[in-house]
Amino acid sequence: MWRGIRDEPRRFTLAVVGSCLFGSLVIGQAFVVGDIVEDVVSPALAPGGNVTTGALVLSATVLIAMGLGRVLGIFGRRLGAGFMQFALQARYRHEVTGRYLRLPLSWHQRHATGTLLSNANSDVEAAWLPVAPLPFAVGTVFMLVTAVVALFLVDWAMALVGLVVFPVLFVMNVVFSRRMAPRTARAQHLRAEVSAIAHESFDGALVVKTMGREDLETRRFEVRARELRDALISVGRLRGLFDPLMESLPFLGTLAALVVGALRLQAGAIDLGQLVQVTFLFTVLAFPVRAIGWVLGDLPRAVAGWDRVERVLEATGEMPYGTGGATGTGPARLSFQQVHFGYDTGQPVLHNVSFTIPAGKTVALVGPTGSGKSTIATLATRLLDPQHGTVALDGVDVRDLSSDALAATVALVPQIAFVFDDTVRGNVALDRPGADDDRVWQSLTTAQADTFVTRLPDGLDTALGERGTSLSGGQRQRVTLARALAGQPRLLILDDATSAVDPRVEARILASLRGASHAASILVVAYRRATIALADEVIYVEQGRVVAHGTHDELLSTVTGYADLVTAYEKAEAERERDAGYDSDDAAVREEEVAA
């Protein structure tokens, strides 16, 4: 809470001032009502009593003025507290999301997506729940202290009633918070688990449907949903016991004050106005005291939410960027120098990897499954950092480059094509400076995507749906490639980025890339023999080591493992093409091939 106050001091001050104004007027009103009863009401009800019009007007005016002041205090308190709560939630959602973007892939791979969504949403929301009633509670504490002093000024006997009631309220709140904390922590944890299961089921909808796992996924979700239900019922049951006690205690205090006050009035120790003042104070304090209960009631859930948010904000593994700018113009030179890397300690994936991609050249990275090809591509774009060794662009360590310089230099087209729920133009341009329609069409043409985009209902303005569900696999891959090209990178990395595309279309894509007006160095993780043959050089890796490099023909004749692998790939490709396993979405392209 103190962190929130430091972040939003002005809004908190406004809310507390409004709350204190409200509390001061509530206490003041008790004394005004007591005086009115003693000096105006009681004489008017007495036999032969008479009250002047001026006294009545003055009493009404004072009460109305105090009422308007209370309205002003309530307005300031709610305005300040509401703005403060929503500002803090927005700020920390932004901070959590920003931390996600700065943390490396290795950290994300250890955390479920549903949990991360829960951290940024429900956990942040829970963390700042007590902010709304907090200023009211602070004002209430001020009000209680002032009220106790006022009670002693009126009568010590009735003041003792307040000294008993108010501490009991605090003790009850402390007991409640201690019992509630583990319940709310478990509920927050289960919220994240339910979110994770739901996200995984939606994300894997195709697998769930095709494998007939609907019942199993339903049961898996139902188990966690019921556990969350039971956890929330446990929270509600404790709150259902606590809330009536908190409601009734101030009224029991009022009753006790009336009994003591009546005895004191009989004894002549106080007058009627003083009795009204004290009982009125107990009555009006019943509701504000609840504000303390609201804060303490929300604190256990807030603490649980904040613990989960803080774990994200303090997560290690951040990859800070340097301050270096662009390393040059034209195609970039990529070099790996004795690079070691492993996802898990003690299990390295790459061992002493060293190679260079000359500026403007196309290099194919070939190797069996699990040999480290995708890891090399990931390191080249600095989604991960090597544990030892250096990855450099034009001789500059990528860790020394700023994020903008790195993004402007290198573009990765990954194995799995991701398409945003946006138009074709939005997916390709990404609102980058200079990415106008001319560049978008140029990129689509180079990626051999212009033909099917032209046939779409609204062309560049066609909405592609979530994850590009309206496109085939090969179309998604070509849109993703066009997106990378629209940024005019100096180094283009293709990690099996055309696997769903017909081999003949893929050959045309690679030919277009090499002949593009904005030439780039190209590192392509390749499987097809025709693709490999187009490369200027081939790097062959096995078990995380560079075994050989040279031209395709050189490796084919000198490296047995390479020859066997390429031959096996070629046979598999032939069988797949014969079984029509490739994306055949472009009838027009097929017709062009026949015509050629």
Side-chain angles (χ1 to χ4, degrees):
M1 293 299 97
W2 177 242
R3 184 167 182 166
I5 293 169
R6 290 202 321 265
D7 288 344
E8 295 290 337
R10 294 182 179 179
R11 292 186 174 108
F12 181 74
T13 301
L14 171 63
V16 169
V17 168
S19 182
C20 290
L21 174 62
F22 172 82
S24 301
L25 291 174
V26 165
I27 294 171
Q29 190 171 8
F31 286 90
V32 169
V33 170
D35 289 340
I36 290 174
V37 170
E38 179 70 22
D39 300 332
V40 178
V41 177
S42 183
L45 296 177
N50 184 30
V51 179
T52 64
T53 304
L56 291 174
V57 172
L58 179 62
S59 299
T61 302
V62 171
L63 289 175
I64 291 172
M66 297 187 79
L68 292 175
R70 290 173 62 179
V71 169
L72 183 62
I74 293 172
F75 178 76
R77 184 193 76 221
R78 291 188 176 182
L79 186 68
F83 270 79
M84 180 181 176
Q85 182 183 38
F86 297 136
L88 287 169
Q89 289 176 351
R91 174 178 299 178
Y92 281 90
R93 281 196 179 99
H94 179 75
E95 286 195 17
V96 168
T97 306
R99 176 66 62 167
Y100 287 161
L101 295 176
R102 291 191 296 272
L103 288 166
L105 282 179
S106 56
W107 185 89
H108 286 273
Q109 291 163 351
R110 298 193 301 268
H111 296 80
T113 303
T115 300
L116 301 185
L117 291 172
S118 180
N119 291 153
N121 186 29
S122 63
D123 289 336
V124 170
E125 184 175 324
W128 301 114
L129 275 178
V131 166
L134 180 62
F136 195 10
V138 172
T140 299
V141 171
F142 165 79
M143 189 190 314
L144 290 177
V145 172
T146 307
V148 169
V149 173
L151 286 172
F152 273 102
L153 292 175
V154 174
D155 183 64
W156 64 268
M158 288 191 291
L160 290 178
V161 176
L163 288 181
V164 172
V165 172
F166 299 145
V168 170
L169 285 172
F170 284 106
V171 171
M172 288 177 57
N173 276 295
V174 170
V175 172
F176 168 76
S177 296
R178 289 183 176 178
R179 292 183 175 275
M180 181 64 81
R183 290 174 168 84
T184 53
R186 174 166 172 75
Q188 284 297 107
H189 177 72
L190 288 171
R191 277 190 178 93
E193 287 196 5
V194 169
S195 177
I197 293 173
H199 181 273
E200 187 177 51
S201 296
F202 299 151
D203 213 28
L206 182 61
V207 176
V208 172
K209 298 295 288 184
T210 56
M211 297 296 177
R213 289 178 55 88
E214 294 93 339
D215 292 341
L216 181 62
E217 285 298 300
T218 299
R219 286 196 298 272
R220 190 163 74 104
F221 183 83
E222 186 178 23
V223 168
R224 284 292 180 269
R226 285 181 174 176
E227 289 180 2
L228 175 59
R229 176 202 63 189
D230 294 341
L232 293 175
I233 288 175
S234 177
V235 170
R237 184 181 294 117
L238 183 59
R239 198 162 197 132
L241 175 65
F242 172 77
D243 285 351
L245 289 176
M246 287 295 294
E247 289 282 357
S248 61
L249 193 59
F251 293 107
L252 291 176
T254 303
L255 181 61
L258 275 172
V259 172
V260 172
L263 295 175
R264 298 286 288 170
L265 181 65
Q266 260 187 342
I270 60 174
D271 57 33
L272 179 61
Q274 290 173 318
L275 176 61
V276 171
Q277 289 171 359
V278 173
T279 53
F280 188 86
L281 265 180
F282 273 91
T283 302
V284 296
L285 284 175
F287 173 72
V289 165
R290 292 292 293 120
I292 300 173
W294 295 333
V295 173
L296 296 177
D298 287 334
L299 273 181
R301 183 181 172 191
V303 170
W306 176 251
D307 285 344
R308 294 166 63 83
V309 170
E310 194 172 33
R311 281 200 293 269
V312 175
L313 297 179
E314 296 181 356
T316 58
E318 186 174 349
M319 295 169 55
Y321 287 96
T323 57
T327 57
T329 58
R333 176 171 60 88
L334 173 68
S335 62
F336 275 56
Q337 300 171 11
Q338 298 181 337
V339 170
H340 294 258
F341 179 80
Y343 292 98
D344 297 316
T345 305
Q347 295 184 347
V349 175
L350 300 180
H351 312 263
N352 197 32
V353 171
S354 297
F355 65 85
T356 298
I357 298 179
K361 298 297 183 180
T362 299
V363 175
L365 191 61
V366 182
T369 301
S371 59
K373 302 184 298 297
S374 293
T375 301
I376 290 175
T378 303
L379 288 168
T381 53
R382 217 207 156 199
L383 293 175
L384 297 170
D385 278 338
Q387 291 156 348
H388 302 286
T390 303
V391 179
L393 289 168
D394 295 326
V396 178
D397 193 322
V398 293
R399 286 170 287 204
D400 295 331
L401 296 176
S402 67
S403 60
D404 291 340
L406 190 62
T409 304
V410 185
L412 170 68
V413 186
Q415 293 174 329
I416 301 175
F418 182 84
V419 177
F420 293 97
D421 188 5
D422 200 350
T423 62
V424 176
R425 179 187 290 104
N427 268 281
V428 176
L430 292 183
D431 290 329
R432 288 172 288 189
D436 54 15
D437 283 3
D438 289 339
R439 186 184 294 182
V440 169
W441 278 116
Q442 181 183 4
S443 301
L444 290 169
T445 302
T446 304
Q448 301 297 299
D450 56 322
T451 303
F452 77 79
V453 171
T454 303
R455 296 201 308 271
L456 291 175
D458 299 312
L460 293 180
D461 294 315
T462 302
L464 300 181
E466 186 177 3
R467 292 183 178 270
T469 53
S470 62
L471 301 179
S472 66
Q475 288 174 335
R476 286 196 296 270
Q477 286 188 331
R478 278 174 277 174
V479 169
T480 305
L481 175 57
R483 175 195 299 155
L485 294 173
Q488 296 187 336
R490 298 170 53 230
L491 172 64
L492 182 63
I493 301 174
L494 307 177
D495 185 7
D496 193 24
T498 53
S499 57
V501 177
D502 187 285
R504 288 166 290 187
V505 177
E506 182 190 40
R508 294 174 61 178
I509 291 173
L510 291 176
S512 297
L513 290 174
R514 300 187 64 174
S517 58
H518 184 85
S521 306
I522 301 174
L523 174 63
V524 53
V525 177
Y527 296 92
R528 294 169 179 165
R529 186 165 187 163
T531 304
I532 298 170
L534 290 172
D536 299 304
E537 186 177 347
V538 177
I539 298 174
Y540 179 59
V541 294
E542 282 185 356
Q543 298 180 354
R545 291 181 171 86
V546 175
V547 176
H549 61 86
T551 65
H552 169 63
D553 292 334
E554 289 172 352
L555 297 187
L556 202 60
S557 60
T558 58
V559 182
T560 303
Y562 176 80
D564 292 342
L565 183 66
V566 171
T567 301
Y569 283 153
E570 192 172 17
K571 290 180 180 178
E573 293 294 322
E575 292 177 1
R576 184 177 176 185
E577 187 173 9
R578 185 178 63 250
D579 296 337
Y582 292 109
D583 180 17
S584 57
D585 56 281
D586 283 331
V589 172
R590 294 288 190 183
E591 293 173 4
E592 292 173 10
E593 293 287 348
V594 172

